[in-house]
Amino acid sequence: MTPPLSAQLTLLDQLPEGFFELEIDTILDLFPTPTLIHLQGDKEPALFVSILLHGNEYSGLKIMQAVLAPYASRLPRSLFLFIGNVEAAYANCRTLPGQTDFNRCWPGCELEPNDYTRMMQQVIQRIQPQHLYAAIDLHNNTGANPHYACLTEVTPTNQHLAAMFNHIGLVFKRPKGVSTMAFNGFCPAATLECGKPGDAAGIQHGAEMIDALLHMDHFPDRPIAPHDLQLVQSLATLNIPPDVSFDFNLSAQADLIFESGFERKNFTEIKPTEVFAFARVSRPLTISNQDGEDVTDEIMRVQNGRVYLNRTLMPAMITLGKTVIRQYCLCYLLTDYH
Ligand SMILES: [Zn+2]
């Protein structure tokens, strides 16, 4: 059976006419299917960049337009550019119904083989990760987070990659099947979270990083200095039980209330003495660890209508979108990586 259009890989060896003027709502005009573009440059090994694995996270397209525009004739280094979920991008959503999430189906995933896992396999075969300079996957997130890199393997070069982007980096080993994980053991790899979709500062920051990678000769041989990079990892996921009402406004009536500036707590440490939220129910949150086990009572306590954490932790990827919260989670809690 022929795979659906959204799992058919197109191969190109140049940018199509109109690439630099392309807007996300006309992306299907130039890229009707996922596309891998190989551009020759002065230097090898090539850099691999993937964009739009999540359709609504379109900063990656803007970043690559900004990076490539000055090099109309010749790039400083060869480049593979993979343009992922173009149909979801056109529809401005992460993944379309019936598709597999494009950042969960790379080699090493735990899914049964399907059209999407086969397509990512095909990408990997083409780009030969063992011969790449580095692999960068460009993403956005929903809340007001700093820009940061995610690593799935803590190697000296991966740490240099992360520190090039920010002094804080996130290490994660789950979920499986994310793009960056497919490069473990082959070449330096990182996911870059470039703020909210379309955010100008995130686009500029991402473009500077990619441009630097196109020019660099090699990563530093020395291990990274501890003050140049703080590595953190996700300890737990916070969910709000379906029967608990909530709001982000201290004057609202709800079972669970956060202050309106809650989003600004992203990547800041919250001490056990600091009020995390206000609650009028005894179990306003459910907290699960990386293995999905319930660790609510270990992590938090409710005292006199106030929610406290039992140890100093850092919330991240806070979202205020009520649908997203019900569908995925409220935020993650991070701790130092060791
Ligand atoms: Zn994403």
Side-chain angles (χ1 to χ4, degrees):
M1 239 175 42
T2 334
L5 264 190
S6 66
Q8 289 180 28
L9 184 65
T10 299
L11 300 170
L12 299 177
D13 56 12
Q14 57 182 12
L15 293 172
E17 189 81 36
F19 176 79
F20 294 106
E21 295 75 43
L22 183 65
E23 295 289 339
I24 203 73
D25 56 358
T26 53
I27 190 158
L28 295 176
D29 296 350
L30 286 201
F31 302 110
T33 76
T35 302
L36 178 65
I37 309 174
H38 186 201
L39 301 174
Q40 281 299 334
D42 291 332
K43 259 193 300 239
E44 299 289 339
L47 176 70
F48 173 76
V49 179
S50 47
I51 64 172
L52 293 169
L53 296 191
H54 292 144
N56 56 332
E57 300 172 15
Y58 65 91
S59 288
L61 176 64
K62 300 278 176 198
I63 288 170
M64 293 315 290
Q65 287 172 324
V67 169
L68 295 175
Y71 306 117
S73 52
R74 185 87 175 164
L75 282 169
R77 150 168 278 126
S78 292
L79 173 77
F80 286 103
L81 173 61
F82 178 56
I83 302 167
N85 201 339
V86 288
E87 284 187 9
Y90 173 72
N92 190 30
C93 64
R94 179 182 168 105
T95 307
L96 287 174
Q99 294 180 333
T100 302
D101 186 319
F102 274 40
N103 203 23
R104 299 289 183 271
C105 51
W106 291 76
C109 69
E110 291 166 336
L111 303 172
E112 289 295 315
N114 66 21
D115 293 327
Y116 298 95
T117 63
R118 281 187 282 272
M119 176 171 65
M120 298 320 178
Q121 198 90 50
Q122 208 186 335
V123 172
I124 289 288
Q125 273 160 11
R126 282 271 161 187
I127 62 177
Q128 304 201 345
Q130 66 276 24
H131 298 309
L132 291 176
Y133 184 65
I136 300 293
D137 189 18
L138 295 172
H139 285 255
N140 294 112
N141 45 42
T142 47
N145 288 287
H147 309 145
Y148 61 93
C150 300
L151 306 179
T152 57
E153 190 182 44
V154 181
T155 63
T157 41
N158 280 353
Q159 291 182 73
H160 281 295
L161 258 188
M164 280 173 72
F165 199 52
N166 202 342
H167 65 274
I168 193 157
L170 178 69
V171 183
F172 71 96
K173 313 272 180 185
R174 292 203 150 265
K176 299 287 181 197
V178 302
S179 150
T180 295
M181 225 170 261
F183 298 92
N184 287 353
F186 293 119
C187 70
T191 307
L192 303 188
E193 296 286 354
C194 305
K196 291 184 183 179
D199 173 62
I203 291 168
Q204 191 188 341
H205 193 184
E208 285 165 1
M209 168 101 177
I210 302 292
D211 197 52
L213 288 168
L214 288 176
H215 284 93
M216 278 169 72
D217 283 319
H218 55 84
F219 289 97
D221 296 324
R222 271 175 292 128
I224 195 137
H227 58 260
D228 282 341
L229 182 67
Q230 181 190 7
L231 283 181
V232 294
Q233 63 184 342
S234 181
L235 177 81
T237 308
L238 261 75
N239 280 288
I240 302 176
D243 57 343
V244 171
S245 61
F246 65 97
D247 214 318
F248 296 94
N249 173 358
L250 291 185
S251 54
Q253 290 294 314
D255 298 334
L256 175 65
I257 291 173
F258 299 90
E259 58 178 69
S260 56
F262 183 64
E263 209 182 5
R264 287 198 293 274
K265 293 192 192 289
N266 267 325
F267 287 88
T268 62
E269 288 186 333
I270 298 188
K271 299 196 166 56
T273 49
E274 207 176 316
V275 177
F276 187 72
F278 298 87
R280 63 182 188 196
V281 292
S282 57
R283 284 184 72 88
L285 290 163
T286 49
I287 306 180
S288 48
N289 67 12
Q290 291 286 77
D291 298 322
E293 295 156 356
D294 190 313
V295 289
T296 309
D297 297 328
E298 192 185 313
I299 303 278
M300 64 151 236
R301 64 189 193 278
V302 182
Q303 275 171 349
N304 304 325
R306 291 172 164 81
V307 182
Y308 297 94
L309 301 179
N310 290 330
R311 53 188 268 208
T312 303
L313 293 168
M314 204 186 263
M317 285 156 275
I318 295 172
T319 177
L320 304 185
K322 294 200 169 174
T323 323
V324 183
I325 292 173
R326 291 291 188 202
Q327 221 176 337
Y328 296 100
C329 63
L330 167 67
C331 67
Y332 297 90
L333 290 174
L334 309 182
T335 181
D336 279 331
Y337 174 82
H338 26 227

